[in-house]
Amino acid sequence: MVYPGSTGQNPLFGTSASSSSTTGLHLGRSTTNIPTLFVSKSVGGTPALNVTATTALSASAWHGVGVSINEAGSSGFFWQDGAYNQVAAADTFNAAYAKPSAGAATHTLEVFDYGGNAAPAANLDRINCIAIFSAALTKANLDAIFNAMRGRFGI
């Protein structure tokens, strides 16, 4: 559950800044509050994944936000408040990429930061829960988690 208290480019969590020279990932939001996912493998100067959803998070409201990647199936999707948050007018995006570096992430995992980045979240932003799973979740899985939690936030 995420509460963007303002509009602006801010991190949700991550281990790398928006740089292909680092190893890691981050989930954040663009300058217009649209969820973004960046995976860097620190090889060749090109990010492994750099995907932006379509629908913005409204400021000053709680949202369920998720992203799921099925590496075996080379697909992924953004999820927001019980629905797909489309990428380029499609429910899923191509998540095929060469495996990231086997080395450690460049920075430690940080909440409301990208790991070593000097752009922490605005002071009105809030996160209630971050859950990381070792399997790709389905939309139905994310719907069930959201439905179990949403009443606590009045949504």
Side-chain angles (χ1 to χ4, degrees):
M1 301 301 283
V2 175
Y3 183 96
S6 60
T7 300
Q9 184 173 2
N10 285 308
L12 297 176
F13 68 90
T15 61
S16 72
S18 299
S19 168
S20 298
S21 63
T22 61
T23 298
L25 65 90
H26 72 252
L27 180 64
R29 55 192 172 106
S30 71
T31 56
T32 55
N33 279 6
I34 297 173
T36 61
L37 174 69
F38 184 89
V39 178
S40 178
K41 58 184 176 175
S42 188
V43 175
T46 302
L49 279 177
N50 191 0
V51 215
T52 301
T54 302
T55 304
L57 302 169
S58 55
S60 302
W62 281 104
H63 297 279
V65 176
V67 63
S68 183
I69 296 177
N70 179 346
E71 287 184 328
S74 300
S75 66
F77 65 89
F78 282 99
W79 175 94
Q80 183 175 319
D81 298 332
Y84 288 109
N85 191 343
Q86 294 189 327
V87 174
D91 289 342
T92 62
F93 59 84
N94 181 352
Y97 62 90
K99 297 283 189 243
S101 168
T106 303
H107 302 286
T108 57
L109 179 68
E110 296 178 357
V111 176
F112 278 140
D113 205 345
Y114 289 149
N117 193 20
N123 68 348
L124 297 175
D125 293 350
R126 296 178 233 161
I127 292 178
N128 172 266
C129 173
I130 293 177
I132 300 172
F133 297 87
S134 62
L137 298 183
T138 65
K139 181 183 175 299
N141 296 142
L142 291 171
D143 288 346
I145 294 167
F146 179 64
N147 288 331
M149 294 178 64
R150 67 189 293 171
R152 295 179 177 112
F153 303 93
I155 53 176

